[in-house]
Amino acid sequence: MTIRSPRIALLACAAALPLPAFAQEAAPPAPHPQESGPEIIVTGRLISGSADPIAAPVVLQGEALTRALKPQIGEMLASLPGVSSSGFAPGVSRPVLRGFDGPRVQVLLDGIGSLDASSVSADHAVSLDTLNIDRIEVLHGPQVLLYASDPSGGAVNARDKRIPRRVPDKAITLDALGSYGTAANMVNGGVAADVKLADRWVAHADASYFHSDNLRVGGHVLSPQLRAQTLAAASDLADAGDIDGAAALTEQAGRKGSIANSWTKGWSAGGGIAFIDAGGDMGVSVQRLSTDYGIPPRPSADPEATSIALRQTRVDWRAGINPDGFFKRIELRGAFGDYEHAEIEDGATGTRFHNRAIEARLQADQARRGIWSGSSGVQYSTAKLAITGSESLLPDNQTDRFALFTLQRFEVGQFDIEGAARYENTRINAAAIGEARDFSQYSAVAGIAWHPAEPLTLSINYSHGERAPSAEELFVDGMHDATQSYERGNPAFTVEKSDGIEAGIRYNGGDLVGSVTGYAVNFDNFITAVPTGEVIGDFPVYQYLQAPARFRGVEAEAGWTFARLASGASLKGDAGLDYTRASLVNIGPVPRIPPMRARGGLEFNSPAFDLRGEVEWNARQLRVAENENPTSAFTLVNLSATWRPLGQDGPLSLVLAADNLFDVSGRLAASDTRDFVPIAGRDVRLTAKISY
């Protein structure tokens, strides 16, 4: 299926900000060889763009990417339709797609996994250098099967620039970005350069740094329910004669202003080299990532300061040819990751997680032949995870995956038809405890889009997904100080199976665009961890269980450019809404599901400066699992202004932004730590970007 260019109309509705950190401005980036089909371009909070796709990716790039830039990818994507954040702590945040998280949402770097331990536990950060990313795709529908066997949640694919994709026009291109935010005294900056070594050779080098203090919040740190429980526990300790313990709990119950032990710091450095020719290209890159962050403590009479020191060395390679025949592109992509993090308790290293992984994929993209195009390939990965120290809650294990996949498209008159299939074999071996499991998964997605009139598209797709349980879901059993919980898995789990339907309507009338998407997913045996109400060593117990589940949801967005001036300025408005309802059959609500959310914004764009104001309302979440606390509604007001003092195409951009302008207090229902980690308070940020 190809993009029908007359139907494409881009509606820029972002806080119009500078191009993404380190992006080259000489020309738009070349399409990624693994991208397939048309897409919806996100230029801020709103979708716009192609009228063709069945389940198009939502793409964050350009000015919107710079505006959203934060060290954690979950925070960066949290304002996109259907996306929220795990919000475990300021130093760790994974994306939550339509209520799905953890191993159901693949976080990829150019189609390859993050090669870390981020899916093992909510306190483990994703090893991704967000300062060196120039494009992020949120995938749903058939395209997910190019990378994962479970299409229900989706996937996030980030593209970095360490292996150059084109030869720059100039001998050297240089980009630098720096920012400061008041909510945590965050300093964030980086520099990157591409050097033209010869007509077909390019070298890349980059470095970045960030640092923040404890996060400031708008109200009490603890939720009303946890404050009451903490004060009751303090009273019990006082009655028992433990005056010091009672005083510690009382102080924690009344804490306002900032979250204790929520600091972050980190740096990265990397480089790459590529040979680029019309007939193909090849390149390699290496990066070193270092991140340290504190884990906010759950109330305790004797609280410990726990932090995580994360390190990763990663080597990536890419080689492709552009033949003139049945295939237009054949690409080999792979990476090796050596990851380790230490959980540090009161200055002493308690537990170490070490993951060594290799992943590779070979993908062939077919040349369009009449109405037919597509992509097919093979993928393999192996990862060895070892845990040592006082909290070896998971036995050492090795996970091997092998997959075959294909995605095919047909454009027949007013109809676009897509189908994707994936076979995957997963083997998990925990030799230390004599356990080994082998799973085969068969997944497929089929969809059709109808274009009855030029601006209108109606689409529907059906999916069947199968996901193998992860090693932690099978074998975890122990106390985890960083998550401040006791976790139990179940080695008898079977393959998780789902069937889903997604239907949508999109209108693309130029100055007026909009879409509504509804989805429903039924699981035969959904795997989730639920709080049991039991307490072991002051930590709540979470038990993984497998039960039928039902997910229902809707996403809607619209935008209108209602004034265009002769000077090139414009005035625009946008609005959006998303909602997910999820239940475990005969049990109750699925844990950690975000509530309904609505957004709206107004924006003025001109060649010299841009202004934007927006409001985001988050409803209260009363549908919570047993032993979970509900969350209250809250409303955020955000403002931003961008000034280009040297002109629209000048090298300098200055951005002043204020998020949560009225310093409200709120809690994320998708977060495990919502009762003692609220959202950030008022954050005023100044960002400067220079491109040469």
Side-chain angles (χ1 to χ4, degrees):
M1 165 171 51
T2 57
I3 299 178
R4 298 182 177 91
S5 56
R7 294 179 179 166
I8 298 176
L10 296 181
L11 178 61
C13 343
L17 304 171
L19 291 174
F22 319 147
Q24 300 179 19
E25 297 180 336
H32 191 288
Q34 292 172 349
E35 292 164 15
S36 25
E39 60 198 15
I40 295 173
I41 301 298
V42 175
T43 54
R45 310 293 186 186
L46 180 73
I47 62 168
S48 62
S50 171
D52 287 342
I54 294 169
V58 178
V59 179
L60 185 66
Q61 63 181 9
E63 299 168 348
L65 182 64
T66 303
R67 172 67 178 83
L69 187 64
K70 293 180 181 178
Q72 286 296 306
I73 191 169
E75 293 182 90
M76 288 181 64
L77 302 180
S79 294
L80 299 185
V83 184
S84 52
S85 166
S86 65
F88 185 90
V92 50
S93 175
R94 286 178 59 90
V96 178
L97 306 185
R98 297 178 174 178
F100 298 104
D101 61 1
R104 284 184 201 86
V105 176
Q106 296 292 315
V107 179
L108 310 165
L109 183 65
D110 290 338
I112 298 292
S114 53
L115 307 183
D116 53 23
S118 59
S119 65
V120 173
S121 181
D123 65 300
H124 299 174
V126 179
S127 299
L128 203 63
D129 178 13
T130 57
L131 275 169
N132 204 48
I133 290 172
D134 66 0
R135 175 185 175 98
I136 303 175
E137 304 166 341
V138 179
L139 306 176
H140 292 292
Q143 290 194 62
V144 177
L145 295 191
L146 295 176
Y147 309 103
S149 64
D150 180 17
S152 58
V156 173
N157 190 24
R159 188 179 76 171
D160 75 353
K161 293 164 285 190
R162 286 199 170 99
I163 303 178
R165 289 182 170 81
R166 63 180 183 180
V167 179
D169 296 331
K170 299 185 293 185
I172 299 177
T173 63
L174 183 68
D175 296 279
L177 180 144
S179 66
Y180 171 77
T182 61
N185 290 323
M186 172 172 276
V187 175
N188 196 7
V191 62
D194 281 351
V195 180
K196 183 177 180 179
L197 302 177
D199 288 343
R200 293 176 289 179
W201 287 92
V202 187
H204 171 91
D206 63 79
S208 66
Y209 172 81
F210 67 88
H211 169 88
S212 69
D213 297 332
N214 288 343
L215 181 67
R216 196 183 63 79
V217 298
H220 281 96
V221 172
L222 303 188
S223 67
Q225 301 91 334
L226 189 54
R227 287 205 309 274
Q229 295 168 12
T230 303
L231 290 172
S235 178
D236 291 342
L237 288 180
D239 292 342
D242 186 352
I243 303 303
D244 291 340
L249 286 176
T250 301
E251 187 276 331
Q252 293 169 64
R255 185 179 180 95
K256 291 184 176 181
S258 65
I259 304 174
N261 203 43
S262 59
W263 54 271
T264 69
K265 63 179 180 180
W267 60 268
S268 72
I273 189 169
F275 171 84
I276 302 170
D277 187 78
D281 55 85
M282 60 186 300
V284 64
S285 71
V286 62
Q287 73 158 7
R288 178 65 173 173
L289 181 71
S290 172
T291 302
D292 296 76
Y293 54 93
I295 301 295
R298 189 184 296 273
S300 170
D302 185 21
E304 294 182 343
T306 300
S307 63
I308 287 183
L310 182 159
R311 308 289 183 264
Q312 187 190 50
T313 299
R314 176 172 171 141
V315 179
D316 286 80
W317 60 89
R318 185 180 69 234
I321 58 173
N322 307 316
D324 185 13
F326 183 78
F327 295 110
K328 64 179 181 180
R329 173 75 176 178
I330 301 174
E331 180 178 283
L332 175 66
R333 177 77 173 86
F336 164 77
D338 189 358
Y339 167 95
E340 183 178 58
H341 84 246
E343 298 186 352
I344 301 170
E345 304 163 15
D346 285 336
T349 299
T351 306
R352 290 184 181 273
F353 289 72
H354 187 197
N355 190 60
R356 182 167 291 183
I358 296 175
E359 184 170 337
R361 57 186 289 121
L362 178 66
Q363 179 167 322
D365 297 332
Q366 301 159 212
R368 180 182 173 88
R369 294 181 174 273
I371 64 172
W372 177 34
S373 61
S375 300
S376 301
V378 60
Q379 183 175 350
Y380 172 75
S381 68
T382 182
K384 294 181 179 180
L385 176 66
I387 305 175
T388 58
S390 58
E391 295 176 2
S392 298
L393 70 164
L394 186 65
D396 293 356
N397 61 84
Q398 178 172 331
T399 301
D400 298 301
R401 289 189 172 91
F402 172 79
L404 300 169
F405 58 84
T406 187
L407 187 154
Q408 301 297 317
R409 304 181 193 84
F410 301 88
E411 185 176 325
V412 184
Q414 294 181 321
F415 295 91
D416 294 319
I417 303 169
E418 283 189 4
R422 183 181 180 96
Y423 164 76
E424 184 168 309
N425 178 262
T426 303
R427 180 171 175 79
I428 303 173
N429 186 8
I433 60 172
E435 290 275 4
R437 299 294 308 277
D438 193 284
F439 305 95
S440 291
Q441 304 119 73
Y442 303 87
S443 304
V445 182
I448 186 168
W450 177 37
H451 314 288
E454 189 67 20
L456 186 64
T457 297
L458 291 86
S459 64
I460 187 169
N461 71 72
Y462 164 80
S463 65
H464 173 77
E466 298 188 359
R467 182 183 72 87
S470 63
E472 56 273 17
E473 292 169 337
L474 293 169
F475 304 130
V476 69
D477 188 1
M479 194 174 296
H480 194 181
D481 188 71
T483 61
Q484 299 165 78
S485 63
Y486 191 102
E487 302 165 17
R488 289 196 189 112
N490 187 337
F493 282 157
T494 59
V495 169
E496 181 183 86
K497 298 182 180 181
S498 65
D499 291 278
I501 294 178
E502 177 179 326
I505 180 170
R506 295 183 177 90
Y507 179 82
N508 191 338
D511 285 344
L512 179 64
V513 299
S515 77
V516 179
T517 301
Y519 55 89
V521 185
N522 291 349
F523 287 85
D524 290 341
N525 41 15
F526 184 77
I527 301 173
T528 188
V530 299
T532 66
E534 183 184 0
V535 175
I536 297 179
D538 293 332
F539 288 169
V541 175
Y542 285 78
Q543 174 68 57
Y544 281 96
L545 59 80
Q546 196 164 39
R550 305 289 182 261
F551 281 71
R552 307 287 185 265
V554 63
E555 298 165 5
E557 290 200 289
W560 180 30
T561 302
F562 48 85
R564 296 185 184 274
L565 307 180
S567 63
S570 62
L571 190 60
K572 307 167 184 179
D574 58 82
L577 178 144
D578 52 57
Y579 173 66
T580 298
R581 180 185 177 94
S583 300
L584 298 172
V585 177
N586 298 323
I587 296 177
V590 173
R592 301 175 299 280
I593 297 298
M596 179 183 292
R597 180 178 58 174
R599 303 177 301 278
L602 287 173
E603 180 176 330
F604 174 80
N605 299 138
S606 73
F609 68 94
D610 308 310
L611 301 171
R612 178 175 174 84
E614 62 184 24
V615 177
E616 178 183 304
W617 172 73
N618 292 261
R620 61 182 182 174
Q621 181 57 288
L622 301 180
R623 295 194 77 254
V624 295
E626 188 176 358
N627 301 307
E628 278 190 326
N629 288 323
T631 59
S632 300
F634 61 92
T635 301
L636 304 177
V637 176
N638 307 319
L639 301 176
S640 65
T642 300
W643 180 36
R644 293 174 282 273
L646 302 180
Q648 187 172 21
D649 299 321
L652 176 63
S653 297
L654 300 173
V655 183
L656 181 64
D659 288 345
N660 192 3
L661 184 66
F662 295 112
D663 205 28
V664 304
S665 180
R667 301 181 188 275
L668 300 177
S671 172
D672 285 305
T673 57
R674 58 190 173 195
D675 285 316
F676 54 100
V677 181
I679 65 170
R682 182 187 301 111
D683 186 23
V684 179
R685 298 189 313 281
L686 179 63
T687 301
K689 181 176 184 293
I690 300 174
S691 298
Y692 168 75

